[in-house]
């Protein structure tokens, strides 16, 4: 059974940094592109970043480009998201998600999701 | 950048009724579209991918259709557990539509 578990969220001040983790199990992690999707309170889903299976390919939404960095440790089956220069508008639940098909260099659709971790940015 | 527009924003229906949700792309995206369901306090769930393929474990009452720029998610007969928010998503840029809330009338 595929399992994804995010951690690392919390209450942070504007301008600070934070690292989120997503521990994966139940599938060959290194064979799948992975993504981060966030959801601000009461709002819709926003894709923010993806990583190819190897980690060599990374992709970012314009809203986080230059501030967030996605990475992965395939030996530990963990996906990371480093958040920097945090803003109030980064307040959201952050989900990690697995892409549907193995071996694709870019994610396609997201067939498994974690339960999310809440990041609150406030002074 | 390809944008997705979902309509209506809210759909008020009774259990047993048919639900028809629309997703329109700003230009043709072939069949590179997925539908997700999200219930309050839960992560999204993949329902349909490549416009018309049901994901594993998704009941047959959910069906997707369309190609090019116009897509439809149909729930043939609403069950109580189907009242939720539904999002469409483009495969190539991973952007989501704004969502349609299906609520109990």
């Amino acid at each position: 059974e595929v399992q994804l578990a995010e951690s690392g969220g919390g209450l942070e001040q504007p301008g600070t940094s934070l690292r989120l983790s997503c521990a994966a199990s139940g599938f060959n992690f290194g064979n799948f592109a992975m993504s981060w999707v966030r959801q601000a309170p009461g709002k819709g889903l926003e894709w923010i970043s993806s990583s190819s299976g190897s980690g060599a390919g990374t992709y970012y939404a314009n809203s986080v480009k230059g501030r967030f960095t996605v990475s992965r440790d395939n030996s530990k089956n963990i996906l990371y998201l480093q958040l920097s220069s945090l803003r109030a508008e980064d307040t959201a639940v952050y989900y990690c998600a697995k892409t549907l098909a193995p071996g694709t260099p870019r994610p396609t659709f997201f067939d498994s999701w974690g339960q999310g971790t809440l990041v609150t940015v406030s002074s | 950048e390809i944008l997705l527009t979902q309509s209506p924003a809210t759909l008020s229906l009774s259990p047993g009724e048919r639900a028809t949700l629309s997703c329109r792309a700003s230009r043709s995206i072939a069949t590179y579209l997925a539908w997700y369901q999200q219930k309050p306090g839960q992560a999204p769930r993949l329902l349909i991918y490549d416009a018309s393929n049901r994901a594993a474990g998704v009941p047959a009452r959910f069906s997707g259709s369309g190609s090019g720029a116009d897509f439809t998610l149909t729930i043939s007969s609403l069950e109580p557990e189907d009242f939720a928010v539904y999002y469409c998503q483009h495969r190539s840029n991973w952007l989501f539509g704004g969502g349609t809330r299906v609520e109990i009338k």
Side-chain angles (χ1 to χ4, degrees), chain B residues 36-105:
Chain B
Y36 297 83
Q37 176 193 65
Q38 188 179 32
K39 298 178 183 179
Q42 296 186 17
R45 171 196 181 193
L46 178 65
L47 296 176
I48 301 288
Y49 64 93
D50 287 339
S52 62
N53 295 305
R54 268 190 302 276
V58 174
R61 64 181 181 272
F62 291 92
S63 63
S65 63
S67 64
D70 289 301
F71 301 87
T72 300
L73 174 70
T74 301
I75 311 171
S76 59
S77 178
L78 283 163
E79 296 288 338
E81 61 268 27
D82 299 337
F83 292 92
V85 180
Y86 294 83
Y87 296 93
C88 57
Q89 183 201 26
H90 177 34
R91 162 180 166 157
S92 296
N93 66 6
W94 313 295
L95 295 184
F96 293 89
T100 291
R101 179 180 304 277
V102 178
E103 65 176 25
I104 299 177
K105 186 175 182 180

Side-chain angles (χ1 to χ4, degrees), chain A residues 5-7 20-23 34-38 46-51 69-71 79-82 94-97 110 113 117, chain B residues 96:
Chain A
E6 303 92 340
S7 60
L20 306 182
S21 300
C22 171
M34 297 290 294
S35 300
W36 289 97
V37 176
R38 70 182 180 184
E46 180 188 15
W47 168 80
I48 56 171
S49 184
S50 295
S51 167
T69 303
V70 64
S71 62
L79 178 73
Y80 299 103
L81 186 68
Q82 180 74 39
Y94 286 72
Y95 296 101
C96 67
F110 307 153
W113 298 64
T117 187
Chain B
F96 293 89

Side-chain angles (χ1 to χ4, degrees), chain A residues 77-99:
Chain A
N77 290 355
I78 301 177
L79 178 73
Y80 299 103
L81 186 68
Q82 180 74 39
L83 291 65
S84 302
S85 303
L86 283 167
R87 306 167 179 168
E89 54 264 37
D90 295 321
T91 294
V93 174
Y94 286 72
Y95 296 101
C96 67
K98 167 187 164 291
T99 199

